Amino acid sequence: MTTETKTATSAGEGLAERILSGERRALARAITLVESGRADHRAQAVALLAEVAKAGRQALRIGLSGTPGVGKSTFIEAFGMMLTGQGLKVAVLAVDPSSARSGGSILGDKTRMERLSRDPLAFIRPSPSQTHLGGVARRTREAVTLCEAAGFDVVLIETVGVGQSETLVAEMTDLFILLMAPAGGDELQGVKRGIMEMADMILVNKADGDLKPAAMRTVSDYAGALRLLRKRPYDPEGFPKALPVSALAEEGLKSAWEEMQTLAAWRRDNGFFVSNRAEQARNWFEAEVREGLLARLTRDPAIRAKMARLGAEVAGGRMAASDAAERMLRELDA
């Protein structure tokens, strides 16, 4: 074992003990550590994750997505407060979109969830997506593992929004919830079939006041659309389903939670919960290998120089992008 590895392991063990005891500052520090891009921090993060994994703790992982303006933060705060009111510990990993130009992110979720952020049974951690696809940060999986080790019962992952690579959210959660707003029939046509097929439950928010009739019609529309989809082997009868909720009036939240518990319990009893977690672990491993290989390639000065040369040829219109990529791959094989 190298000196660097010994140091990383020692540091990881000390922090791991504090996380396992439920210390919130230690959890926040650990998430900062796993999000760091520094090589020495990465070594410490790997050692830390290996240490906390020994505890074998698990939480119910719930992914939540929806278009901007649908009320995700309002829903999460109301839903989280309901859960903590039942004595459950709730962690919220809210991923904010990063600027493609500066790489910066507002990270305003604690401001938007003021009540929940003050709840002693809740932990809110906003993280920048850092241009990572799928509306999740690259290290969100590791942050989930740390929250589970800290003893949280439910981990909510709020994504940037409905996008092409939303499958990444489903690959790290036990339940994937799609939050929608009341709208006319045209709204249903705007929802991608792939996302509908991934959703375990569709919650139509803002089902209160003047919008309640429209919300109920929208629920009916989505329920009809879900019945037309192919039956999934890991769903009991009646799932996936659409339900009305009002985060503002705090209505329908308990019913939604009961349905989530029913679905999770059925999957546990029928072996789908464990098999899903196993498949997620395999996907995590493969993703880490791909990311690591890419990082090693881009650190090589000779490879970077070749990439820059071929990139200039493509930018100047002297070579097709596909041809340049093929040449680059042939040089890597040589």
Side-chain angles (χ1 to χ4, degrees):
M1 184 181 291
T2 64
T3 304
E4 182 182 351
T5 305
K6 287 180 180 178
T7 303
T9 303
S10 176
E13 287 174 353
L15 191 55
E17 291 174 4
R18 294 164 57 197
I19 291 169
L20 293 171
S21 68
E23 188 180 322
R24 296 158 66 92
R25 290 182 65 181
L27 175 59
R29 181 185 165 193
I31 295 177
T32 299
L33 184 68
V34 300
E35 289 177 347
S36 174
R38 281 175 44 175
D40 58 332
H41 285 174
R42 191 63 204 149
Q44 292 176 38
V46 170
L48 173 63
L49 290 164
E51 192 65 28
V52 299
K54 296 175 183 177
R57 295 177 181 174
Q58 288 189 342
L60 182 63
R61 306 171 185 173
I62 301 175
L64 184 76
S65 187
T67 53
V70 75
K72 290 193 295 293
S73 296
T74 306
F75 172 81
I76 288 175
E77 180 170 57
F79 188 65
M81 292 295 292
M82 181 204 67
L83 295 179
T84 58
Q86 297 179 11
L88 297 173
K89 293 183 66 179
V90 180
V92 179
L93 301 176
V95 184
D96 271 20
S98 297
S99 167
R101 179 176 298 179
S102 66
S105 184
I106 296 173
L107 302 178
D109 291 276
K110 282 197 172 182
T111 304
R112 294 197 296 267
M113 305 179 199
E114 187 178 354
R115 282 192 306 148
L116 189 60
S117 66
R118 295 198 302 265
D119 194 312
L121 292 179
F123 174 82
I124 301 176
R125 174 66 183 219
S127 300
S129 64
Q130 298 174 331
T131 70
H132 193 58
L133 292 176
V136 292
R138 181 185 171 190
R139 298 299 175 190
T140 300
R141 289 184 182 90
E142 296 176 354
V144 170
T145 300
L146 292 170
C147 289
E148 289 182 321
F152 285 91
D153 302 297
V154 179
V155 179
L156 293 168
I157 304 171
E158 178 196 4
T159 70
V160 172
V162 176
Q164 187 176 1
S165 300
E166 209 69 5
T167 50
L168 291 176
V169 184
E171 288 177 356
M172 67 176 74
T173 55
D174 303 310
L175 302 176
F176 178 56
I177 311 300
L178 192 57
L179 198 64
M180 303 301 293
D186 290 342
E187 178 73 9
L188 186 59
Q189 298 177 24
V191 179
K192 293 183 176 67
R193 179 183 174 91
I195 296 171
M196 288 276 288
E197 290 175 335
M198 282 188 294
D200 294 308
M201 195 178 298
I202 295 178
L203 301 180
V204 179
N205 194 22
K206 305 182 181 180
D208 53 63
D210 295 339
L211 286 175
K212 188 165 186 176
M216 299 309 294
R217 287 194 300 271
T218 305
V219 169
S220 180
D221 289 342
Y222 284 127
L226 289 171
R227 282 194 293 271
L228 295 175
L229 297 178
R230 183 181 301 174
K231 176 75 174 171
R232 305 183 304 188
Y234 47 86
D235 287 332
E237 192 63 37
F239 283 89
K241 60 176 59 180
L243 297 171
V245 295
S246 170
L248 194 62
E250 299 185 359
E251 296 175 352
L253 302 179
K254 288 186 178 179
S255 297
W257 173 235
E258 288 171 1
E259 295 289 358
M260 292 179 202
Q261 289 178 296
T262 297
L263 178 57
W266 186 89
R267 288 179 175 173
R268 281 193 183 96
D269 293 342
N270 289 273
F272 293 109
F273 198 91
V274 173
S275 63
N276 184 49
R277 285 285 180 102
E279 187 61 28
Q280 288 177 357
R282 184 200 300 272
N283 291 334
W284 185 359
F285 157 70
E286 292 177 353
E288 283 295 301
V289 171
R290 286 193 296 270
E291 292 280 359
L293 289 173
L294 185 60
R296 287 190 181 186
L297 286 174
T298 54
R299 282 199 299 265
D300 189 315
I303 291 175
R304 285 206 307 269
K306 291 175 184 176
M307 288 279 288
R309 187 180 71 252
L310 289 170
E313 292 291 311
V314 173
R318 296 180 294 275
M319 187 181 298
S322 55
D323 183 27
E326 190 62 33
R327 290 193 186 190
M328 187 69 220
L329 291 172
R330 281 201 302 268
E331 290 194 32
L332 289 175
D333 289 337

